[in-house]
């Protein structure tokens, strides 16, 4: 069973930066997809960015301000967020998908989330 643990959230002023980390209990190089979602109060969870087949896509709302990266040796993924806005305030979740090669069985994993608050 894969476990994902996020860290790095907190309170930041508008225009500031944060880097979130997602530490995986297994090898992240085995994930078929890995990304970040967020959920603001009263809103549905939405995609921030995802890496699949070596390509990373970002939501339009964060494009140009966030970067997803990973360190396979540390089994850790990162979400670098710059030029933060109050509307970026949300709980940020790490997400991973594995697909077994023979059965095609798909497994999804979520972290517990980390709060990001952008406010002056």
């Amino acid at each position: 069973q894969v476990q994902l643990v996020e860290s790095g959230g907190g309170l930041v002023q508008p225009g500031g930066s944060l880097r979130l980390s997602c530490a995986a209990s297994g090898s992240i190089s085995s994930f078929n997809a890995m990304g970040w979602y967020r959920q603001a109060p009263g809103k549905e969870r939405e995609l921030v960015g995802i890496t699949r087949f070596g390509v990373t896509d970002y939501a339009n709302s964060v494009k140009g301000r966030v970067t997803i990266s990973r360190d396979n040796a540390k089994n850790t993924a990162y979400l670098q967020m710059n030029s933060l806005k109050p509307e970026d305030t949300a709980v940020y979740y790490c997400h991973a998908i594995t697909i077994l090669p023979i059965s095609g069985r798909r497994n999804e994993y979520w972290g517990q989330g980390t709060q990001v608050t952008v406010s002056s």
Side-chain angles (χ1 to χ4, degrees), residues 7-20 81 84-90 92 114-120:
S7 61
L11 174 64
V12 61
Q13 291 187 344
S17 298
L18 274 178
R19 188 178 79 157
L20 307 183
M81 302 188 291
L84 284 163
K85 306 175 182 179
E87 51 263 43
D88 294 318
T89 295
Y92 284 72
T114 185
Q115 176 70 48
V116 172
T117 302
V118 184
S119 175
S120 55

Side-chain angles (χ1 to χ4, degrees), residues 52-99:
R52 293 169 292 198
F53 307 110
V55 177
T56 301
D57 295 308
Y58 299 98
N60 288 333
S61 59
V62 301
K63 197 172 294 184
R65 299 189 296 118
V66 308
T67 303
I68 291 175
S69 62
R70 59 169 61 184
D71 185 334
N72 287 344
K74 295 182 179 180
N75 290 321
T76 300
Y78 304 97
L79 177 67
Q80 176 68 45
M81 302 188 291
N82 301 320
S83 302
L84 284 163
K85 306 175 182 179
E87 51 263 43
D88 294 318
T89 295
V91 178
Y92 284 72
Y93 297 91
C94 183
H95 176 252
I97 296 173
T98 60
I99 301 175

